Amino acid sequence: MIISQNTLKWVMRFYPPLFFQRIWVQKFENEFRSCTVKLSKSFLNKNYNGSIFGGTIYAATDPFYALLFDQLMQRRGFKVRVWLKSASIQYLKPGRSTLYFTITVTDEMLNEAEHALKTVGKFVKAYPMEITNKDGELCATVMNEVYIRNLHQGETPRVAY
């Protein structure tokens, strides 16, 4: 389903798995080319050591590459299934304050995915993410492997389904 940036932002803000962990979508930009997310520390996601629970940080990174690729590929006329195939995280510093990350889908990334969908019918690739605190210090790095399947390979892509 093609959806507006503003609508998806508000849906994601109040989606219970994100809302109750204090994961807040700040904005989608450039026609779904970019997403900025804020992860606020609260009693709902604080661990024994007073930092943000690692599972919350991990969960915060889960849906966003898939959402961006889904919206971008649909706008290019593809009917796709997109999901996070795998992920790995390295915690570098405790998240003792609000954390932030921004991800961006470049023309190169999008063209590579489109080419694979047209030729092979699927696209799988890992992309990095960096999570920083309010002072800009790197707290975690994540690799998210995105899986995209062209549901209508061999058919002429249409814009609306």
Side-chain angles (χ1 to χ4, degrees):
M1 168 175 50
I2 293 177
I3 190 168
S4 75
Q5 292 180 141
N6 194 48
T7 301
L8 186 56
K9 174 184 74 174
W10 284 101
V11 166
M12 295 303 292
R13 283 181 174 182
F14 292 107
Y15 181 54
L18 302 181
F19 180 77
F20 289 110
Q21 292 189 74
R22 307 285 302 194
I23 301 165
W24 191 256
V25 177
Q26 290 189 300
K27 58 188 168 185
F28 288 104
E29 288 187 298
N30 303 323
E31 298 177 12
F32 288 103
R33 293 294 187 105
S34 176
C35 178
T36 302
V37 178
K38 173 181 162 184
L39 177 51
S40 300
K41 181 178 148 188
S42 80
F43 76 95
L44 295 172
N45 63 16
K46 188 168 63 169
N47 66 20
Y48 179 77
N49 296 313
S51 61
I52 296 174
F53 177 60
T56 298
I57 298 169
Y58 199 62
T61 66
D62 183 288
F64 296 104
Y65 269 117
L67 284 171
L68 293 180
F69 272 106
D70 179 66
Q71 289 299 310
L72 289 165
M73 297 316 292
Q74 284 188 66
R75 283 167 170 73
R76 288 188 168 207
F78 288 90
K79 183 168 183 171
V80 293
R81 170 113 347 110
V82 185
W83 51 283
L84 181 66
K85 184 174 181 183
S86 68
S88 63
I89 190 166
Q90 284 193 309
Y91 302 102
L92 306 172
K93 185 174 184 163
R96 299 200 186 280
S97 66
T98 299
L99 300 177
Y100 302 89
F101 65 89
T102 298
I103 61 171
T104 302
V105 176
T106 64
D107 286 337
E108 180 182 309
M109 294 162 66
L110 200 52
N111 291 336
E112 183 180 15
E114 183 173 356
H115 176 71
L117 291 177
K118 286 180 178 177
T119 58
V120 183
K122 70 177 181 178
F123 175 75
V124 181
K125 187 161 183 180
Y127 295 105
M129 301 171 76
E130 292 186 340
I131 300 159
T132 59
N133 63 18
K134 63 181 181 179
D135 298 323
E137 299 170 317
L138 188 61
C139 293
T141 59
V142 180
M143 284 298 288
N144 279 356
E145 186 178 32
V146 178
Y147 175 94
I148 308 172
R149 163 79 56 194
N150 185 354
L151 297 179
H152 285 169
Q153 185 179 6
E155 295 180 17
T156 304
R158 300 186 319 242
V159 174
Y161 287 93

